[in-house]
Amino acid sequence: MKHGRLILMPNTLDFGVDDSLDLREVLPQRVIEQAARLTHWAAESAKTTRALLKRVDAIAPLAQPLQSMQIAELPRPPKGGKQGADDTAAWQSLLAPALAGHDLGLISEAGLPAVADPGARLVALAHEAGIEVVALSGPSSLLLALAASGLNGQSFAFVGYLPVDATPRAARIRELEALSARAQQTQLLIETPYRNEALRQALLVALKPSTRLSISVGLTLPNGWTQTATVADWRSNRTTLPDRIPAVFAILA
């Protein structure tokens, strides 16, 4: 039996904050039509996936009713970063529809799946199983923020989340600043939205005044914005970041 494909399906960047936005403003028509055809999904969040498919259905009718879609959630990592039992079998089981000949959609809560996203593990397993992987075009908050920052787009690194506790967080910020200065490399960071302002304040305390900091908020949303300035200038800026809208932070020393 011929295997189905693993389709990497992009999602919007609004996290449900503004689902009134026409999907066609952020996703190509071909991608929307592909989403409508899929009946099997591996998702970071079944709730988020259903919300997207409702929006898809308003443009391209779904192949079958939403209630009958097979949406399996990715295994959750152990809480607190602790090493858990081997969950390889649980991940491999997600590929069963593709192994049975169905195309399988992989979708993140926002943006491109497998980029700053746990779905990368499923992609790796698909390659091991001989399943074709197809990536579709869509928004990536990291690349959009980098492009709009004016910082070095020739050399950059995504470093993810910083420690929550103040002391190790400050140490990590200074480490990344030193790396940026040495390699002239832009460092990209993200945070859970309700801690956006806390991260901004931590960066302003730990970074040198001359380091450039770029912050992008709500990219692809009607009121989204990007602002780049030195840390010294940011310290006199009265901006307060929203606590429900995703942000991307970039530094270049």
Side-chain angles (χ1 to χ4, degrees), residues 185-229:
Q185 183 182 70
T186 302
Q187 306 294 308
L188 297 167
L189 309 87
I190 56 174
E191 184 51 279
T192 304
Y194 73 86
R195 287 202 291 261
N196 280 341
E197 181 60 21
L199 177 56
R200 186 181 81 98
Q201 293 294 338
L203 290 167
L204 297 186
V205 169
L207 293 171
K208 296 177 181 178
S210 60
T211 292
R212 282 186 288 167
L213 169 64
S214 182
I215 302 177
S216 294
V217 175
L219 294 175
T220 73
L221 298 181
N223 295 320
W225 55 268
T226 297
Q227 184 173 342
T228 302

Side-chain angles (χ1 to χ4, degrees), residues 6 8 91 95 106 114 118-131 133:
L6 181 64
L8 307 190
W91 281 89
L95 294 173
L106 172 63
R121 186 171 180 187
L122 191 65
V123 175
L125 290 171
H127 285 297
E128 291 177 11
I131 295 170
V133 176

Side-chain angles (χ1 to χ4, degrees), residues 73-75 86-95 121-122 125:
E73 291 192 342
L74 306 182
D86 184 8
D87 58 358
T88 301
W91 281 89
Q92 290 175 328
S93 69
L94 296 174
L95 294 173
R121 186 171 180 187
L122 191 65
L125 290 171

Side-chain angles (χ1 to χ4, degrees), residues 25-217:
E25 293 190 26
V26 291
L27 295 178
Q29 180 71 26
R30 183 178 71 89
V31 171
I32 296 171
E33 292 172 354
Q34 175 66 78
R37 287 194 292 268
L38 292 172
T39 57
H40 296 74
W41 294 88
E44 190 174 2
S45 166
K47 180 180 179 180
T48 302
T49 303
R50 291 189 187 96
L52 177 69
L53 290 175
K54 286 181 181 178
R55 297 166 73 179
V56 167
D57 191 43
I59 300 170
L62 300 179
Q64 64 184 46
L66 183 56
Q67 295 80 1
S68 62
M69 294 282 182
Q70 295 189 29
I71 304 175
E73 291 192 342
L74 306 182
R76 300 288 182 181
K79 291 185 177 180
K82 297 180 180 178
Q83 186 67 33
D86 184 8
D87 58 358
T88 301
W91 281 89
Q92 290 175 328
S93 69
L94 296 174
L95 294 173
L99 293 173
H102 302 282
D103 282 347
L104 173 65
L106 172 63
I107 189 166
S108 175
E109 285 191 287
L112 300 179
V115 177
D117 176 74
R121 186 171 180 187
L122 191 65
V123 175
L125 290 171
H127 285 297
E128 291 177 11
I131 295 170
E132 180 183 358
V133 176
V134 179
L136 300 181
S137 300
S140 166
S141 61
L142 301 177
L143 294 182
L144 291 173
L146 177 64
S149 71
L151 305 183
N152 191 353
Q154 301 292 332
S155 178
F156 57 91
F158 171 61
V159 297
Y161 295 88
L162 299 187
V164 175
D165 294 338
T167 299
R169 181 177 57 195
R172 179 61 171 154
I173 291 172
R174 287 190 289 269
E175 177 186 6
L176 292 173
E177 183 179 44
L179 172 60
S180 177
R182 185 169 61 252
Q184 276 301 285
Q185 183 182 70
T186 302
Q187 306 294 308
L188 297 167
L189 309 87
I190 56 174
E191 184 51 279
T192 304
Y194 73 86
R195 287 202 291 261
N196 280 341
E197 181 60 21
L199 177 56
R200 186 181 81 98
Q201 293 294 338
L203 290 167
L204 297 186
V205 169
L207 293 171
K208 296 177 181 178
S210 60
T211 292
R212 282 186 288 167
L213 169 64
S214 182
I215 302 177
S216 294
V217 175

